[in-house]
Amino acid sequence: MSGEFLSQSGTYLSVTAQGWIVLESTQEPLALGALMAARYAPAALLGPVIGKYVDSRDPRPLVLIANYGQAVLALALVGLAFTPASLVLVPFIAVGAVSQIFAMLEHSGRMAYVAAIVPDELRARFVGATSSAGTLGRIAGPAVASAVLILGPSGLCFAINALTFVFAALLLPRPRYKVRIPPPATLREGLRDIWALPHVRNLLIVFTLVSLVSFNVATMIPLLVQEEYLNDPKVLAAFNIAFGVGSLLGGALRALIRSSPTNSALFGLLLFGATFTVLGLTHSWAITLAMLFAGGFGRLLFTASAEAVLAVGVSQERRGLVGSLYAMAFTGTTPLGALLVTSLSTRTSTSATLVVCGIMAVAGAVAYLLSLTMHRSSFRAGTQES
């Protein structure tokens, strides 16, 4: 959990600093969208391959490699931070893209590693706890980035980022566990096995469609601050912290409750959609803070619950692959999603874009509810026939 906190805090510290530098130097929302799109595109394309690779190996060394690789790339960003602002976009894209590939490897490796050391009956609560730790990192990262951008050189953000990955690797535990290496199989066979599980397949589809538009929070919050609050870094910090604190509590709730993760996933997605719809309709600073808090709570409750459903819903031999598909659904859709929301924000307004994000999330929750109802009805019918 400590390693997850450090890894996420460093990642979000770096993403916040890069986005701020690019947006401040270009004053173009589409430049920020291009940065986010190009950063996540290679990892999205390679996600299934990375997942299959993780499933055929001991995941612990892979998590270590991913952390040390991201540390080296963070050090490269220290030098880029002192490059003239007009020249940083392309190098930021290149380094960010490679870093995100390592991040995909880390996430798939961690998910497979957790599958080896945590019993299935504790999975939903454990995922909630680790998600809270990661979310605490998402609070700390942007907050530290905002403070450094106000008080010191931007390159310091990336130096701190490198240290977080080193300590995350050093803190990875060494429990005794057995890794079941699956028999030789093609990527197509692995994907076919997962597709044959309706509750896993339907959740992945809903997650992907919602993430495509609604979950681009790292892009939307800076745009909101630029449009409504004159790029004030203090407001950026306040909004990121409000969203992060809500997320922290959403993960904590998932760690504490014993209810089905499918129910908490549905509630969380509905809450996120409703609050972001209201967020786009208000111009009050206080209401915006409250809606970001509630939206963070709902999104983390949904994502932590969804991760638990996916991890328990497949065999251990497929958890690296399903972990990569989860990461693709969560962050791999960011390339297209970032371009969509920034383009829509440019053509209309950030407020209208937030309303669209909220409505899409509510529609995703309704689709998920229908899929659950159909799955439960078919299961009951099959039981009665038996």
Side-chain angles (χ1 to χ4, degrees), residues 287-300:
I287 295 177
T288 297
L289 276 178
M291 291 300 100
L292 285 170
F293 171 85
F297 184 97
R299 191 179 81 155
L300 205 286

Side-chain angles (χ1 to χ4, degrees), residues 250-328:
L253 179 65
R254 180 58 265 175
L256 293 172
I257 62 176
R258 298 178 180 272
S259 66
S260 167
T262 55
N263 295 334
S264 56
L266 178 62
F267 174 76
L269 187 55
L270 279 171
L271 178 61
F272 175 87
T275 54
F276 262 60
T277 302
V278 174
L279 184 62
L281 299 175
T282 184
H283 296 284
S284 166
W285 189 83
I287 295 177
T288 297
L289 276 178
M291 291 300 100
L292 285 170
F293 171 85
F297 184 97
R299 191 179 81 155
L300 205 286
L301 184 60
F302 170 68
T303 56
S305 301
E307 187 174 352
V309 172
L310 295 174
V312 176
V314 299
S315 64
Q316 182 175 326
E317 292 82 2
R318 294 286 181 261
R319 283 170 181 166
L321 180 56
V322 84
S324 70
L325 294 175
Y326 169 88
M328 284 180 62

Side-chain angles (χ1 to χ4, degrees), residues 97-238:
V98 179
S99 179
Q100 193 59 34
I101 291 174
F102 278 118
M104 179 77 76
L105 177 64
E106 180 186 5
H107 181 84
S108 298
R110 281 187 183 275
M111 197 163 180
Y113 190 50
V114 167
I117 65 176
V118 178
D120 283 349
E121 62 270 17
L122 300 178
R123 186 66 47 80
R125 299 177 69 187
F126 186 84
V127 168
T130 52
S131 296
S132 291
T135 301
L136 189 59
R138 296 185 190 106
I139 300 171
V144 171
S146 300
V148 172
L149 291 170
I150 294 170
L151 302 174
S154 57
L156 183 58
C157 291
F158 308 118
I160 296 172
N161 183 24
L163 286 175
T164 62
F165 285 120
V166 171
F167 283 113
L170 294 175
L171 286 170
L172 195 65
R174 296 175 176 271
R176 294 182 180 180
Y177 63 97
K178 294 181 179 179
V179 178
R180 293 201 300 268
I181 304 299
T186 64
L187 177 59
R188 179 181 295 181
E189 290 172 335
L191 293 173
R192 188 174 57 202
D193 290 344
I194 292 174
W195 185 261
L197 302 170
H199 59 293
V200 173
R201 178 192 66 221
N202 294 339
L203 179 56
L204 280 171
I205 292 172
V206 169
F207 204 127
T208 302
L209 294 176
V210 171
S211 295
L212 180 63
V213 177
S214 303
F215 284 176
N216 278 276
V217 177
T219 303
M220 292 307 304
I221 291 180
L223 290 177
L224 180 63
V225 174
Q226 181 193 42
E227 181 177 291
E228 300 284 345
Y229 300 96
L230 302 175
N231 263 0
D232 188 339
K234 296 178 183 177
V235 175
L236 177 68

